[in-house]
Amino acid sequence: MSFLEISDLNYSYHTKAGETKALSGIDFNVRKGEFLSIVGPSGCGKSTLLNIIAGLLPLREGSITMEGMPIKDHRDKIGYMLQKDHLLPWRTTEENILLGLEINKIQTKEKLLLAEHLLKQYGLYEFRKVKPAELSGGMKQRAALIRTLVMEPELLLLDEPFSALDYQTRLSVADDIYEILKKEGKTAILITHDIAEAISLSERIIVLTRRPGRIKKEIEVSLTMEDGKKPSKPSEGRSAREFAVYYQKIWKELMNHDDEI
Amino acid sequence: MMMKSKQLIDGNLDRNRGIPEISLAQKEYLQNCKRERRFIRSWQWIIMILFLGFWEVGARTGFINAFVFSSPSRVLDTVVSMAKDGSLWYHTGITLAETFLSFFLILLLGIGIAVLLWWNTRLSGILEPYLVMLNSLPKSALAPVFIVWLGANMKTIIVAAVSVAVFGTVLTLYHSFSETEEDKLKLIITLGGGKKDILKKVILPGNIPTVVSLMKVNLGLALVGVIIGEFLAAKAGLGYLIIYASQVFKLDIVISSIFLLCVISVLLYHAIAKLEKR
Ligand SMILES: Nc1ncnc2c1ncn2[C@@H]1O[C@H](COP(=O)(O)OP(=O)(O)OP(=O)(O)O)[C@@H](O)[C@H]1O
Ligand SMILES: [Mg+2]
């Protein structure tokens, strides 16, 4: 039994204009502690998939289980980080970070200590009393990550969380997030348009077809550095020996639509 | 040449004393601003003095009929004697109290109904055309109906004043609630919250600026509504005083009451402006 099992998942949107099939026959497992990335053409249903896992959209066809139980029993163990930070502008950094605890009324001493620890670790402690408008893009994204992490989710869903950042910040925030997740042994599913990001962060990459999204290819990733060791952090992995090979492979899968049914 | 070097020295001196150096152009600009302000102020005074002067002189020389148009000195006399016999405080107090009461009712009802409509999309779908209709209806047309229903008393005045502003408030707030970014609602759900949390953490705090700007509009509207109500259904208040005095041809009292209304609206305006700054 895998940590997360998704089988025969279909999803269609219904609007007045008609029915849009977004996902078709999605079937995959995620191991505990694994970092999985999903890539695919724009509009193929990636966000839809995460929204269903997170419970924002109803599960109509197919099944999703987490540790053998239906996913809806585990809603509190799932953290979801959206593309934009969505910090509330009238709250300070600290108040934004504590939002989830406030909603669930779990402002325990340990949680507050954890929040403080995370603020310090991410260099936001001096900015805890400041409104989001005074934070840089990278800081906002890190604040959004802390807001998710203080809830101590078992499964983290990341929907293009770095796309609003400039390249430099993007690399360092990705390193930060990866380190935290690995240290805490969290499982993560990342959606990205950036093939290099997917390769450097993940143990496995799933490539989806155009809409309606089906699984086209699953690729296990394993990178080795010049010295034969594993890369110590994602940004380092970009110069691994196999990197270009993986890049070519995924690029080809994404570009070639002709063999679709 | 001489001038220039002297300026340089002055500038350096200033810097040494830690005072920020003000350039000549900046000084000129500031002086211009001041001059402009003084110009506008003086003309405001001039207009007022001319207006009051012509009015007073006209009334005294018989150029205008003082019985119909009153005069500044008669208004002043009337206000002073009204203040002495207490009627000024009584009528102004009643009008102010009615205005504040209506204002708070408008705010309370407006927010309450807007929240209800936001909470229940079916309800808002059903009620929207009725609200739009009620909002565009000239509310003064309703006042006589309220008198028949509720009697010629303070209840009618409050209801009339509330009806002037409440529908617009509900519609504006409801639309502003509905325009809240979809992803912000999603965020609360992903953090384990429900509709109540969305309301408490996102919708209400996010709409404080809208509420404040509505307050500004509504205080004025409440005053308008109260005066309409007092015209028709009161035994006290400035609106009553205006109608009563005009019927018995005491134009001094009519003009004095209008003058008091001017003072009230200026004071209310400043009160809200102060609130907005906070
Ligand atoms: N609320 C909705 N109603 C109707 N159709 C929708 C809705 N949301 C998404 N869709 C459609 O479903 C398809 C999948 O959308 P989704 O957002 O999951 O794509 P995506 O893979 O995340 O795309 P992107 O990479 O651009 O973010 C799209 O073609 C979109 O037009
Ligand atoms: Mg998407």
Side-chain angles (χ1 to χ4, degrees):
Chain A
M1 183 187 73
S2 288
F3 177 68
L4 187 74
E5 299 187 349
I6 299 178
S7 50
D8 290 327
L9 182 69
N10 295 312
Y11 195 86
S12 299
Y13 286 102
H14 297 276
T15 59
K16 287 197 192 97
E19 183 174 349
T20 312
K21 246 189 149 337
L23 291 170
S24 165
I26 299 292
D27 214 304
F28 66 89
N29 296 339
V30 188
R31 298 181 290 265
K32 191 161 178 62
E34 185 179 22
F35 200 116
L36 175 80
S37 286
I38 297 177
V39 297
S42 187
C44 74
K46 302 181 296 293
S47 301
T48 307
L49 177 60
L50 287 201
N51 284 344
I52 297 172
I53 297 174
L56 291 170
L57 291 173
L59 174 65
R60 296 210 200 92
E61 280 178 61
S63 84
I64 305 180
T65 60
M66 188 166 157
E67 293 177 319
M69 304 278 280
I71 191 79
K72 67 175 193 308
D73 298 344
H74 286 295
R75 285 281 302 280
D76 54 331
K77 290 189 191 155
I78 301 173
Y80 195 170
M81 208 173 142
L82 303 164
Q83 182 172 347
K84 280 194 266 161
D85 53 74
H86 292 297
L87 297 172
L88 302 176
W90 54 86
R91 286 174 163 246
T92 63
T93 309
E94 193 171 40
E95 287 165 345
N96 264 295
I97 283 163
L98 299 178
L99 185 62
L101 303 180
E102 218 176 286
I103 287 172
N104 292 286
K105 304 202 172 56
I106 44 169
Q107 290 139 300
T108 56
K109 210 170 179 182
E110 299 91 74
K111 290 280 190 188
L112 293 177
L113 275 174
L114 173 65
E116 194 185 309
H117 169 75
L118 288 169
L119 276 170
K120 279 183 182 149
Q121 181 166 5
Y122 282 101
L124 284 175
Y125 191 70
E126 288 90 74
F127 297 90
R128 67 191 185 284
K129 300 284 182 215
V130 148
K131 298 273 164 69
E134 291 173 47
L135 300 179
S136 72
M139 286 164 137
K140 285 186 208 166
Q141 210 61 21
R142 275 178 280 165
L145 176 69
I146 299 174
R147 182 180 58 199
T148 315
L149 289 177
V150 284
M151 302 294 291
E152 298 184 279
E154 290 297 316
L155 172 66
L156 203 64
L157 307 174
L158 305 156
D159 193 348
E160 300 183 45
F162 315 126
S163 59
L165 306 176
D166 62 87
Y167 191 69
Q168 296 281 319
T169 321
R170 201 175 165 132
L171 289 186
S172 76
V173 174
D175 279 350
D176 286 347
I177 289 189
Y178 183 84
E179 193 194 323
I180 281 249
L181 293 180
K182 283 297 146 195
K183 206 166 70 193
E184 310 273 333
K186 309 265 188 217
T187 314
I189 303 178
L190 168 78
I191 287 177
T192 178
H193 273 122
D194 183 338
I195 300 175
E197 192 169 275
I199 300 169
S200 61
L201 281 162
S202 356
E203 279 131 63
R204 191 152 51 103
I205 298 173
I206 289 182
V207 184
L208 294 183
T209 64
R210 272 186 305 190
R211 200 189 74 210
R214 306 160 183 277
I215 294 182
K216 189 171 197 186
K217 194 97 187 172
E218 276 190 50
I219 298 161
E220 295 277 349
V221 180
S222 149
L223 300 175
T224 21
M225 300 304 289
E226 285 301 327
D227 55 10
K229 282 190 203 143
K230 298 240 160 261
S232 64
K233 53 186 182 185
S235 54
E236 207 181 286
R238 288 176 184 243
S239 48
R241 272 183 275 164
E242 308 90 335
F243 195 83
V245 183
Y246 283 123
Y247 199 100
Q248 286 297 327
K249 205 166 162 184
I250 295 165
W251 175 253
K252 259 197 207 126
E253 291 294 343
L254 280 173
M255 284 301 113
N256 138 33
H257 298 303
D258 303 332
D259 56 336
E260 275 171 40
I261 322 136
Chain B
M1 213 39 222
M2 273 295 287
M3 278 263 303
K4 226 178 201 166
S5 63
K6 182 159 188 313
Q7 231 177 49
L8 256 171
I9 294 165
D10 278 357
N12 285 337
L13 270 176
D14 276 352
R15 201 177 304 147
N16 290 342
R17 273 191 244 115
I19 299 165
E21 191 180 350
I22 296 178
S23 76
L24 199 62
Q26 175 70 9
K27 244 184 226 163
E28 217 163 78
Y29 168 78
L30 288 177
Q31 251 161 15
N32 257 337
C33 286
K34 219 188 213 168
R35 209 174 303 134
E36 189 66 23
R37 219 169 32 230
R38 219 178 290 146
F39 178 82
I40 287 175
R41 258 296 134 77
S42 347
W43 270 103
Q44 288 168 340
W45 281 107
I46 290 171
I47 288 174
M48 188 165 86
I49 290 166
L50 280 180
F51 174 73
L52 293 177
F54 274 119
W55 189 8
E56 183 68 43
V57 172
R60 280 180 194 236
T61 56
F63 182 67
I64 50 178
N65 186 345
F67 182 64
V68 179
F69 290 101
S70 188
S71 75
S73 57
R74 288 169 84 156
V75 168
L76 194 67
D77 285 345
T78 314
V79 170
V80 168
S81 74
M82 278 170 75
K84 270 184 191 150
D85 69 19
S87 60
L88 184 146
W89 314 116
Y90 176 64
H91 292 289
T92 314
I94 294 245
T95 298
L96 269 180
E98 285 167 346
T99 304
F100 281 126
L101 188 57
S102 316
F103 171 73
F104 285 115
L105 279 176
I106 292 165
L107 212 59
L108 226 67
L109 279 172
I111 296 175
I113 298 173
V115 166
L116 266 179
L117 292 180
W118 173 82
W119 192 279
N120 191 333
T121 39
R122 263 192 179 159
L123 187 70
S124 61
I126 294 169
L127 292 185
E128 180 127 29
Y130 296 105
L131 281 170
V132 170
M133 184 189 69
L134 284 170
N135 185 39
S136 40
L137 187 76
K139 258 64 70 175
S140 41
L142 291 177
V145 185
F146 293 145
I147 298 176
V148 176
W149 289 346
L150 303 167
N153 52 37
M154 202 193 256
K155 242 191 294 177
T156 298
I157 295 165
I158 304 289
V159 171
V162 168
S163 74
V164 168
V166 79
F167 304 111
T169 306
V170 167
L171 282 174
T172 310
L173 264 183
Y174 170 65
H175 284 139
S176 166
F177 284 1
S178 318
E179 273 160 21
T180 308
E181 214 179 337
E182 187 88 23
D183 274 0
K184 290 243 158 49
L185 316 184
K186 244 192 190 174
L187 168 76
I188 300 292
I189 300 173
T190 61
L191 290 172
K195 205 155 185 176
K196 209 164 107 199
D197 299 296
I198 294 178
L199 183 69
K200 274 200 313 207
K201 309 288 181 201
V202 177
I203 303 281
L204 291 180
N207 279 286
I208 288 175
T210 317
V211 171
V212 170
S213 75
L214 276 172
M215 281 167 80
K216 232 166 41 184
V217 176
N218 283 344
L219 200 49
L221 283 179
L223 188 57
V224 170
V226 163
I227 296 299
I228 292 176
E230 284 181 350
F231 276 180
L232 296 168
K235 292 179 189 67
L238 292 174
Y240 158 80
L241 213 54
I242 291 172
I243 283 290
Y244 167 77
S246 71
Q247 276 162 0
V248 297
F249 260 81
K250 289 192 177 158
L251 271 300
D252 291 343
I253 296 189
V254 175
I255 306 281
S256 302
S257 305
I258 293 173
F259 167 72
L260 288 173
L261 271 179
C262 289
V263 173
I264 288 183
S265 40
V266 168
L267 288 182
L268 291 183
Y269 177 85
H270 280 293
I272 292 276
K274 217 171 221 167
L275 188 96
E276 200 176 18
K277 256 187 214 146
R278 273 202 304 155

